[in-house]
Structures are given as structure tokens and as C-alpha cells.
Amino acid sequence: MRVSRRDFLRLASFSTLGAVACNVFDEREFIAQSPVRLPEDLVTGRDNWYATLCRHCPETEGLVVRVMEGRAKKVQGNPLYPTNLGGHSVRCEAGLQALYHPDRIAGPLTREGPRGSGLYRSIGWDEALDNLRGQLDRSDRSAVLTVTEPLRGSLAHLVSSFTSAYGGRHMAFQPMEEATYARVVRDVLGQETMPTFDIKNTQFLLSFGADFLSTWTAPVQFSKGYGEFRQGQGRERGTFVQVDSRFSMTAANADDWIPIEPGMEGKLALSIAQVIISEELVNEAVIRAMTGGQGASALDAFAPNRIAQQLGIPPLRGRGPAEVIVELARDFARHGSHSLAIGGGSAAAHTNGLFNLSAIYALNFLVGSVGTEGGIKFNPPPPISELATTLPPATTAEWRRLKGEIDNGSIKLLLFRGVNPVHGLPADIDLRDALDSDDVFTVSFSSFHNETTEMADLILPDRAFLEDWGDDIPQPGPGFEIVGMQQPVVNPLPGMSPLSFADILLRMAHELNIDSAAPLDKVTFQDVLKDHARKLHQLDRGSVREATFEAFWNRLLQQGGWWDEGAVATASLPPSPNLVDIANQAQDPRITGSRDPNTFYLVPFQSISLTDGRGAHLPWLQSTNDPITTVTWTTWVEINTAVAEVIGLKEGDFVKVEGPNGKSLTAQIYHHPAVPPEVISIPVGQGHTSDIRYSKDRGQNTLSILGLPLDEETQALAWASTRVRITKTGEREPIPKFEGIVPAFRPNEEDAIVKVTRG
Amino acid sequence: MANEHKWGMVVDIDRCTGCQACVVACQAENNIPINEEKDFLSRRAKQWIRIDRVWEGEWPNVKARFIPILCQHCENAPCEPVCPVYATYHNNEGLNVQVYNRCVGTRYCANNCPYQVRFFNFFDPEWPSSLWNQLNPDVTVRSRGIMEKCTFCVQRIRRAERTIEGQRGEELSDQKLKEGNFMPACVTACPTDTLIFGDMKDPNSEVSRRSEDPRHYKLLDKLGTDPNVVYLKKVDPHVVEEAHD
């Protein structure tokens, strides 16, 4: 039958009408597509979220990681994990880039060229582990040193057991270490575990030098409390004062920032104490106890009108320095046990750091905020003894001694895991020189080439933290018992063959027959963790309670850890320190470097993204703006805007910054309206030379120009006690920063973007 | 069901510390290319949410203020009427939507946005091949010539609709978004709970309640853009009020 075009159209229209009239088709059949829903609906696969821990920096936040088709896609805070309650930092997010970094080492390497040349040959794991075992077997065991980051939990237990069973030594490395703070925690607060601060319930927070919202100790945990401290429901807004020789991100958030001459924080604390005592703003019995009965006369030498001029405090809002101190002391005392004084960072990094921190933390005893709500909150020991081991960082003085030991042949085999001391130690120690010797054999477990790895004879790449097992006792904890769990959320990519450092240690223990006791009797680190989890299971309390161990283990991993909010510190409060004793230790900082024109105090700092340099290879962290200057991808020198104009330095000018050790660095000027005129600040973390595309030859290493000033008591690096000279080089380039080039506001031009109110 | 919601955000500046966690979280969730040094130097760095730092005062009485700024999802959005191809429009859930495959790259919308939160792809985005593994499969990678901006993580809202409304037959709420991990990436990341997201149409939602806080204001309010992002003022006990209000 021949059907004309006209016939076809007629038939087609009848059949469509019929179909509609008979309601044969569902209405949705007539919708060609859903433009809004279509893109998401096309995604195949199902996502899963796995709980684990962030191992990028010491805070170790609880995380949940989105995994889709075997690839990690997104890192978020674990909302259940008590220390960070779902929040996280920029650094956690970048864990994904450590996992999928294009320059990650794929498998074991053995050195081919001279040390530092970066010439390596790929080898198989059998050959690599045979080589390691041979080295461990042949070496004089007392000449073997394992260097790791500070360790806690099961890994600390394993490393410590291995080291003592094998007969070698262990040292933990942390650049800009907090040994002075750790000493004060032990000596003044009487604690073996790190305390936390109940910022959420504090009413008056006084911080000396601690950049606690950015990088100091546990910034995410403290930030959680800070949000509530400011605008928590059912409470009055807390007041926050930061005493700091640098305008840090934390200082920027304070209601009052009190600039101070570097190293004078302890004297200011004693001056505050003097006002509180002389005006009898606290209980008389407390005053008697803390002054050995001397009362008001005990601290006369620190009366504001006597020492205010020494402290370098400028006039603030029309008040002179003595007036500022008196007002501060009255505010601090008025809030009683809901006042909190904390100190660390640059306040501790002086030759008199221990005195500074002792005086600062003593203020809490004066107002009764030790072990109370809104004050210093102590943490209990871990729930099982196997998790109680901690391997804290060695002091800078110990590293200096180590250099001598390597040089004189006492140390011949070094194993480095998770650290880069060639970059992170002051240049004056020159660890690189010590490792550049044919008498030394160096093994690195790093996943990336760095300045230490480049000196290694053998590289055994570790798993990324998102591929590895682990656990953690957070330091500081949340105020009750907690064990965090880390599980592999993905397998390594095809072509990558990393091996867990902990599994290698266990294998070496077996092959060398060095011990058969726990934990070295286990085959894998997962077995060690399970062994410890069994003991947790047997406690039958806390956030995970199950009838069988298998169910307990699954819930433990699902939840990201175990905690028991009822298991708090039970030890009695430490005795109050004697303020007279502290006052007797009072001393000014010894500043290294001259006071000639064009010299400044150097206050180095850890940037929020790169911290001490461990994040420099990750592009998200390189491209994260510094919160204050908005500078990225380089090293910069923060100098007071007015001072820079007087000495003719424009933004972007390259200056030579020369330290007291004769070494120098070159970096660009950033005009900063809030840097004290006598100070310059430079971030640490850049200056890497290894062949990693995002960090190589970016900026310079600030730690190289410090010299070796040490705290006289704790022998920690006094990294904020240096004066440096700056000289113009004559070169200038635009500085990579995010902020615009037009000032944000001009008078009467626009409404302020940030609106401000008194309350 | 969709038109029963009006998504909005409250930003409490008094909680914000400027820590940048939201910025990187957004970058990770939304496949924003790596901002390289040259991007900062040419002022083409992309940050769908950024933290502006504003100086006030002079040494030593100087303050730095932080304010997170993202697309305000304006009810009267200046970017919408100027688009010749309807690539940007206001949907019935309060979102200012950018349809990438309609965009022809005139950049009129970016010119007209007073908040400077729209970003143009002058080049194709590039990642080393191994970093492709981290890209979010829910979010289109924008090619050269396309305008992009904050979507309030619409892909998460859609997932929430499919999961909570479509599969469970329950209504969306702030609490369910939070429990199901469907909040925008910046909100989830924020360690001080500065950012609060939710349904402005739900009178019981936290975002509705907090948007009535006496400290509330809208950014550049006098322009009449009627944003769906509400700010809560910074509190400063020492502020000189005349200078600001």
C-alpha cells in the first residue's frame, strides 16, 4: 500500500490523540528530559563514607572520607569524634592530594648516584627488605637510630618495643618543638598527659603567644570551643585578649591584642599577678598559699608602674601600658574560675621560655581555673596500658648532640619515618653534612622525595594515611578517655606499591628473631590493633559496647574510635606554684643578633596551611591564602607599613634577611599595618629543594637563619629570640596574594562590608 | 516537593576566625582547579567562597576583620537579567543557578555582580592525571569559556532529595541534611560553626531562627538585591559605632 506523506501525518495525529484519550502513557513519558535532575542522575556507582583519622599534623582529627568506586573523593570531619566534632582544618582536606600526588614514590628505590643527587633505581620489595634486614643484622645495634614524628598509641608501643628489643635508639622529631610547654605541663600543672582548655565555657580568655586557632597544639578542637565561647546559646559572649609580639590569625580574632616585646610575656604575667594580689581581687588564702605568706609585697618588683616601660606595650585606645596591665588584671580576676590563661608558641620560644610559661600558667591557680569548668581541663590516662606509650620530640640540644654522634661514628644506621629533619632542624646543626658520609647508611620510609630522603641509601615508601591502619590517643584529649581508630579507606592506586612502616617493623622483628612477646609477635599492624581493641572490648563500657568482638571491631571502625565520657581524670589537683619562686627565676630573654639600624626582632611563624613545611608539596595548601596577608606560594616578610615607607621598602621588594649566624635568605616584602615597628615576621615551611613540582624552589627556609638559641632550662629551640638585618636587593616583583590592590574602604564611600556592633 | 524549600545561609561573623577550611572544602567538593601562583598574580584565582580580610584602624589600635563571601543567591539577582542565554536564573528553591551548558561566556553576569563571586574560565582546567582520582563525580568540570560560582552544593541537595524525599518519603529538614551529610561542603568543614545552612521556609529551622538574630544584616543591602545569605554582625566591645552604622 502506498502511503503519502499527508496520509502518514493524518494517521500519526490520530494515533497520538487516541493514546492520550485512552490514558495509555504515563504523564512523565511526554517529558523529554528533566534538565535539573539529569546530571546527577547520570552518576554511576554508590558512595560510602569511612571513618578514619587525619595524620597530617599532630592534632589527628577524626575524619569521614567519601569513597566512590575505589577512589577517595572528599575528606570531612567526623561529627561523632569528640575532639573535632565534625570540624576540620585546611590541612586535613589535603590528605587526598597526598594520596593521589603525581610525584608520590611508587615503590622501593636504591641509591645510584651521589647522596643528594636524586638518582635512584627501582627495586622490588624482596630485594629492598633483604637489604634492610641485612643492614639491621650487620649493624652494631647501639649504632642504630630510628627517627619518627612524635608517636602515640599502638604505633608508639610498637616502635618502642622494637627499639628496646632490638637494642637501638629512637628519637622523635618535630620542628619548632614544644618541649618547654611539655615541661610546664609536667612541672606546673602536674600532668603526664596534655591538658585541654575548656574554651567553650570560659568567660575571659587570655592567651600569650599561642596561635591556638591556627596551628598551636589542637587548633580545630580549640576552634570548636571558640565558636561557642563567642556566640554559644544561653551564655554571655566571652572576652578574649591576646598578648603577642606578632599579629597572628589568633590575635586578629581577639577583642584586644596587646603587642609586647618578644620574650617579656612572663614578666607581664607576673605584673598581672601583682595587681591581683595587691588589690586582693582573689581569695586571701590563695594569695597566702601562692606567695609563701608574703602577700602583696611578694611581687612588688613587678608592679605595673615599675615594669610597664620594659615590656614594650604601646599606648592602646588612649591608655598607657601600666593602665592596660591593671585593667587586664582586674578583668581576669573578675571572672574568677571562668578566666583562663594559656601560653605557648612564641612566648615559649625564648631563652627564658620556661619562666614565661611558668608565670603564665600560674595565673590560673590564682583565679582557681585549674581543673574546673571554663578553665584547664585534665585528661585521664589511656584506658589500656598498651596505649599509654608516647614518644615525645627530642629537644634541639639533643639533635645537636646526635650530629656529633653521627660524625664520630657512634650512629651508623638511621631509619627516618614521617620526618624531614634536614629541612626542619636549624641550619647550624647541618644534619645534611652528617648524613653525607659513606660510614652512614640511611633508610627513609617517606612517600615523597624531600631533603632528608635525598640523603637516603634506601627508600621504602610508606602507605599514605588514607591507606593505612592506626590508632591514636589524642593529645590533648577532650577531657575523657578516647581511642581514635584509623583504617584504610582505599587501596593504593594500580602501579603504586607502598608498604606500611609498622608492617615492615614487624616483619623485621620476625626475620631477625629479636622478640616473641606482644606486640612483636603479631604478623601485621592490624593484628596489633585488634589485640588492643580486644582489651577495649573487655572493658565493656564507653561508646561502643557489643556482645562479640567482631561486632565491637566493626562498630569501632564505623564510629571512628571509642570513648567514654564518664571516664574523666580523677587525680587530685596539683599544688599551686609559688609565685615567689617563679619571680626569682625571672629574667629577660637573651636576644641573639645586633641592635644596629635596619635590624629587627624576627618572629617566625607556622602558616595555617604549610605549618612547619610538611604540607608544602600539596597544591591545595600552597594555594591557601595566609588568612592575614592573603599571600600564597612563597615566603614573605611582614613589616610594619609605616616603617617600610620610612626605609623605602615597597611591597614586592626582595630583601636579604641576614641572621646572627651569618646565613641569609631572600624574600619579598609585604606591608603589614599590624606588625610592631621593631619586629618582622616570616613564615616557615618553604625553601624545599627536592624535585616535587609544587614545592621545589619556592620561597626560602626561615629556620636556616636563626642560629642555635636555646631555652636555658629545657634546651628547646628559642626560635623567636633572634634579631636580623634586612637589606634591599634592588629587585621587585608582584607578590602572589589574593587580596585586591584597592583599599577595602575609603571614608564615606560605602557602608562597611563587615558590620560591627557592641553586642 | 522541590518548591517547598527556600535554601539560605546565615554567616555569623563573630564566630569566624578566617581559618580557610571552608575555602579548601569548597575547592575539593566542586572540582575547582588548583589556583597556581600565576593565577594569583593575574588575579584569576577562583574561590567560590572566599574570606575577605579587612583592615581597620592604625597601629597599634589596628583590627583585622574576616568575612566569608560567597554567592548571595539574591532574590533580585543583578546577574540574572543580563544573561542573554538564560544560563543563570533563579529557581523556585531560592537558588541562583548556573547552567554550564547554556553559558556562552559573555561575562555580563560577572560584571553585574556586586559581590564579585562569579569566576570565568579563561582556560581549560588542568590537573595532573593522578589527581583526577580525587575529582567529585557529582560535579561537572567546567571547560574554557564558562562562568562558574557557588551553587550551595546543589549536588548535595539533589542527593538529599533523592535519598530523603525520593527513597524514604520523608521531608527535608536542616537536621536531616546534617545527619545525612548533605550540608554544603563549607558548612560541614567550618570548625567554629560560623556557617549555618537550611530551609528559610521552615520556621523551625535553625537558619530561619538565626536569621532573625538582632545582629542580622545583608551584604550591600541598599542595592536591593535581597540575598538569601544573612550575616550576623561582628561583636567588638570597643567599636566606634559611628564609623560603621
Side-chain angles (χ1 to χ4, degrees):
Chain A
M1 186 180 91
R2 181 183 167 83
V3 180
S4 69
R5 181 172 174 275
R6 184 180 297 268
D7 291 338
F8 173 78
L9 290 172
R10 187 180 297 129
L11 283 168
S13 67
F14 275 127
S15 70
T16 308
L17 271 174
V20 173
C22 300
N23 199 17
V24 172
F25 300 114
D26 187 283
E27 188 188 11
R28 282 174 298 180
E29 296 289 334
F30 292 98
I31 300 173
Q33 66 173 31
S34 166
V36 175
R37 289 174 182 266
L38 194 62
E40 292 88 29
D41 291 348
L42 283 177
V43 174
T44 57
R46 188 188 172 99
D47 55 352
N48 288 301
W49 292 84
Y50 295 104
T52 189
L53 296 176
C54 178
R55 308 309 294 232
H56 185 82
C57 51
E59 181 167 8
T60 319
E61 297 92 335
L63 301 180
V64 286
V65 182
R66 183 183 183 214
V67 177
M68 203 157 182
E69 299 195 320
R71 300 287 180 269
K73 298 293 181 185
K74 183 76 176 69
V75 166
Q76 288 186 181
N78 179 351
L80 301 175
Y81 200 68
T83 59
N84 58 304
L85 295 168
H88 65 74
S89 71
V90 290
R91 303 175 290 274
C92 306
E93 198 86 51
L96 286 184
Q97 294 192 323
L99 190 62
Y100 297 129
H101 198 289
D103 297 330
R104 195 176 153 188
I105 299 171
L109 301 172
T110 186
R111 186 166 61 82
E112 287 264 286
R115 288 187 180 81
S117 65
L119 295 173
Y120 286 89
R121 176 173 58 86
S122 288
I123 54 173
W125 272 108
D126 287 342
E127 184 185 344
L129 293 177
D130 283 351
N131 193 347
L132 176 64
R133 190 189 56 246
Q135 289 293 337
L136 287 168
D137 210 13
R138 284 192 298 274
S139 295
D140 169 8
R141 297 192 171 188
S142 63
V144 177
L145 176 71
T146 308
V147 182
T148 66
E149 70 273 39
L151 296 177
R152 310 184 289 237
S154 294
L155 188 57
H157 184 50
L158 175 66
V159 170
S160 168
S161 304
F162 179 87
T163 308
S164 55
Y166 173 78
R169 284 166 54 191
H170 173 268
M171 283 172 83
F173 175 68
Q174 186 181 22
M176 303 170 87
E177 94 271 13
E178 292 279 355
T180 306
Y181 175 59
R183 173 80 80 88
V184 169
V185 166
R186 194 191 71 193
D187 291 355
V188 178
L189 301 175
Q191 301 297 304
E192 292 300 327
T193 52
M194 208 66 92
T196 189
F197 305 114
D198 188 12
I199 294 174
K200 178 181 175 182
N201 294 306
T202 300
Q203 288 170 1
F204 190 89
L205 175 57
L206 177 58
S207 160
F208 295 76
D211 198 359
F212 67 90
L213 293 174
S214 176
T215 54
W216 186 70
T217 312
V220 175
Q221 184 183 153
F222 299 149
S223 294
K224 271 282 164 194
Y226 175 84
E228 295 303 301
F229 165 81
R230 285 308 202 187
Q231 290 296 334
Q233 285 186 20
R235 57 156 296 157
E236 200 176 305
R237 181 179 186 273
T239 303
F240 168 35
V241 177
Q242 174 85 359
V243 176
D244 211 328
S245 49
R246 169 181 171 259
F247 190 79
S248 61
M249 188 190 100
T250 303
N253 283 290
D255 297 302
D256 264 324
W257 166 53
I258 300 179
I260 189 166
E261 190 154 315
M264 303 304 276
E265 293 86 350
K267 284 194 168 180
L268 173 61
L270 285 183
S271 191
I272 291 168
Q274 194 277 338
V275 175
I276 292 172
I277 291 171
S278 63
E279 295 190 4
E280 296 181 352
L281 300 175
V282 295
N283 188 301
E284 197 189 326
V286 173
I287 295 175
R288 264 203 314 276
M290 290 188 67
T291 58
Q294 289 186 42
S297 63
L299 299 176
D300 271 355
F302 297 92
N305 54 9
R306 287 198 182 177
I307 68 157
Q309 297 306 323
Q310 301 173 25
L311 304 181
I313 299 174
L316 293 171
R317 289 186 286 107
R319 302 165 302 160
E323 209 180 332
V324 168
I325 297 169
V326 171
E327 198 178 302
L328 188 57
R330 288 173 184 165
D331 284 342
F332 188 74
R334 189 171 66 245
H335 293 91
S337 63
H338 284 78
S339 290
L340 171 64
I342 62 178
S346 60
H350 282 281
T351 54
N352 62 345
L354 185 64
F355 157 69
N356 286 339
L357 293 199
S358 301
I360 291 163
Y361 283 93
L363 291 174
N364 295 297
F365 289 89
L366 210 49
V367 294
S369 59
V370 179
T372 60
E373 183 184 278
I376 297 175
K377 208 164 152 185
F378 294 136
N379 277 299
I384 59 171
S385 60
E386 287 82 354
L387 299 177
T389 313
T390 55
L391 298 173
T395 62
T396 302
E398 288 172 287
W399 289 108
R400 189 170 55 184
R401 278 198 293 280
L402 172 74
K403 159 80 161 82
E405 288 180 79
I406 300 173
D407 286 344
N408 68 26
S410 306
I411 297 289
K412 289 184 176 294
L413 174 60
L414 293 106
L415 315 179
F416 290 101
R417 192 265 185 178
V419 289
N420 182 9
V422 171
H423 180 271
L425 279 173
D428 289 33
I429 290 183
D430 203 0
L431 187 64
R432 189 181 196 284
D433 173 64
L435 297 179
D436 192 11
S437 159
D438 289 338
D439 296 334
V440 176
F441 192 87
T442 304
V443 181
S444 169
F445 294 86
S446 173
S447 308
F448 292 93
H449 287 285
N450 60 39
E451 291 70 22
T452 305
T453 305
E454 281 189 347
M455 304 307 290
D457 300 280
L458 184 63
I459 301 176
L460 309 175
D462 197 0
R463 288 193 156 214
F465 73 80
L466 293 175
E467 300 164 341
D468 208 359
W469 289 98
D471 63 12
D472 187 47
I473 306 293
Q475 295 271 15
F480 47 83
E481 288 180 358
I482 177 171
V483 181
M485 289 303 298
Q486 175 193 351
Q487 61 175 324
V489 301
V490 287
N491 282 319
L493 285 176
M496 305 292 294
S497 63
L499 261 191
S500 167
F501 166 72
D503 286 345
I504 293 176
L505 272 196
L506 285 169
R507 184 161 162 176
M508 290 300 115
H510 295 306
E511 293 186 4
L512 295 167
N513 292 318
I514 57 172
D515 198 357
S516 58
L520 300 176
D521 58 339
K522 303 292 181 294
V523 177
T524 67
F525 190 47
Q526 188 189 0
D527 298 333
V528 176
L529 297 174
K530 278 194 168 174
D531 196 36
H532 295 163
R534 273 193 189 89
K535 294 190 167 75
L536 270 183
H537 178 226
Q538 285 158 10
L539 294 177
D540 194 25
R541 61 180 170 87
S543 59
V544 183
R545 297 172 74 176
E546 295 289 346
T548 64
F549 174 70
E550 285 67 31
F552 176 83
W553 175 250
N554 286 339
R555 279 276 313 283
L556 189 68
L557 297 180
Q558 198 175 26
Q559 191 175 269
W562 173 98
W563 44 89
D564 185 351
E565 293 184 27
V568 296
T570 52
S572 55
L573 291 182
S576 300
N578 190 322
L579 284 168
V580 180
D581 290 345
I582 294 174
N584 288 338
Q585 298 162 21
Q587 51 181 300
D588 289 342
R590 267 193 307 105
I591 303 289
T592 319
S594 78
R595 286 183 172 268
D596 297 342
N598 285 347
T599 64
F600 296 82
Y601 289 110
L602 169 63
V603 183
F605 65 99
Q606 300 191 31
S607 77
I608 194 164
S609 52
L610 306 188
T611 61
D612 52 29
R614 69 184 73 195
H617 60 299
L618 305 176
W620 276 341
L621 298 185
Q622 281 282 4
S623 65
T624 296
N625 313 344
D626 173 65
I628 303 287
T629 62
T630 78
V631 179
T632 59
W633 290 100
T634 191
T635 303
W636 66 95
V637 179
E638 298 176 359
I639 187 167
N640 182 282
T641 308
V643 171
E645 282 165 4
V646 168
I647 59 178
L649 289 174
K650 294 194 170 154
E651 185 173 292
D653 276 347
F654 282 92
V655 289
K656 183 178 163 194
V657 185
E658 194 177 351
N661 59 355
K663 296 188 169 66
S664 63
L665 60 82
T666 305
Q668 283 179 284
I669 286 289
Y670 177 84
H671 282 191
H672 195 306
V675 169
E678 276 281 290
V679 169
I680 61 167
S681 281
I682 310 179
V684 301
Q686 298 276 23
H688 293 275
T689 53
S690 300
D691 196 14
I692 299 287
R693 67 188 72 186
Y694 299 110
S695 55
K696 188 181 183 189
D697 299 334
R698 297 207 160 272
Q700 301 210 344
N701 187 355
T702 313
L703 298 174
S704 67
I705 63 168
L706 295 183
L708 263 181
L710 300 179
D711 182 306
E712 287 166 4
E713 297 289 330
T714 64
Q715 302 291 291
L717 182 67
W719 47 260
S721 64
T722 303
R723 281 183 77 89
V724 294
R725 175 189 310 281
I726 61 174
T727 326
K728 211 169 161 176
T729 64
E731 290 178 41
R732 182 190 307 151
E733 281 180 15
I735 192 164
K737 62 175 187 174
F738 187 70
E739 68 179 347
I741 48 176
V742 179
F745 304 122
R746 294 192 183 110
N748 307 320
E749 192 178 74
E750 278 288 357
D751 282 349
I753 296 283
V754 183
K755 296 208 174 183
V756 186
T757 178
R758 277 188 199 277
Chain B
M1 281 184 283
N3 59 2
E4 289 168 11
H5 307 295
K6 183 184 174 192
W7 303 113
M9 188 179 281
V10 170
V11 183
D12 187 344
I13 313 178
D14 203 29
R15 285 175 179 253
C16 179
T17 63
C19 76
Q20 308 281 330
C22 54
V23 178
V24 181
C26 172
Q27 201 159 8
E29 172 71 16
N30 291 299
N31 298 337
I32 298 174
I34 296 162
N35 287 316
E36 296 180 26
E37 183 178 8
K38 63 180 167 53
D39 299 316
F40 287 97
L41 290 170
S42 60
R43 309 212 164 276
R44 285 176 180 166
K46 296 188 187 75
Q47 295 184 356
W48 287 7
I49 181 169
R50 66 177 189 267
I51 303 195
D52 276 4
R53 187 270 298 118
V54 180
W55 289 116
E56 283 183 21
E58 290 185 357
W59 162 264
N61 299 302
V62 61
K63 298 263 184 186
R65 314 276 193 205
F66 299 111
I67 179 168
I69 295 185
L70 64 162
C71 174
Q72 304 289 300
H73 294 273
C74 311
E75 289 293 314
N76 303 321
C79 57
E80 291 167 6
V82 293
C83 180
V85 293
Y86 303 105
T88 183
Y89 73 100
H90 210 73
N91 79 2
N92 54 8
E93 294 174 57
L95 300 182
N96 176 262
V97 181
Q98 181 74 20
V99 185
Y100 301 131
N101 55 7
R102 281 187 194 161
C103 180
V104 294
T106 64
R107 292 185 276 149
Y108 295 163
C109 54
N111 278 347
N112 242 26
C113 172
Y115 304 103
Q116 300 189 23
V117 290
R118 291 180 155 268
F119 301 91
F120 187 67
N121 286 279
F122 286 92
F123 306 100
D124 273 324
E126 284 178 10
W127 288 270
S129 58
S130 63
L131 287 179
W132 293 347
N133 289 297
Q134 71 178 39
L135 295 182
N136 184 352
D138 294 345
V139 177
T140 311
V141 172
R142 286 76 58 190
S143 56
R144 177 170 164 258
I146 302 295
M147 188 63 71
E148 62 181 63
K149 58 154 209 96
C150 162
T151 64
F152 269 166
C153 287
V154 67
Q155 66 280 2
R156 292 188 172 208
I157 299 173
R158 295 288 173 255
R159 263 184 189 271
E161 283 171 355
R162 289 200 300 277
T163 311
I164 298 172
E165 292 182 337
Q167 293 173 17
R168 293 191 225 149
E170 298 170 5
E171 282 192 19
L172 285 183
S173 67
D174 287 17
Q175 194 55 31
K176 283 175 185 158
L177 287 176
K178 203 169 187 174
E179 285 166 2
N181 228 346
F182 299 120
M183 286 287 185
C186 55
V187 176
T188 312
C190 180
T192 58
D193 300 320
T194 294
L195 307 172
I196 302 149
F197 179 80
D199 187 356
M200 292 279 196
K201 265 193 183 166
D202 175 0
N204 298 317
S205 69
E206 192 183 358
V207 75
S208 294
R209 194 170 47 76
R210 298 294 298 276
S211 65
E212 297 302 317
D213 188 294
R215 293 185 290 125
H216 80 272
Y217 74 100
K218 291 186 175 180
L219 216 52
L220 302 178
D221 199 19
K222 69 178 181 185
L223 299 178
T225 52
D226 193 11
N228 278 324
V229 178
V230 175
Y231 287 81
L232 304 185
K233 284 182 190 177
K234 173 83 186 161
V235 179
D236 182 342
H238 310 306
V239 69
V240 182
E241 284 177 1
E242 311 80 67
H244 298 282
D245 292 325

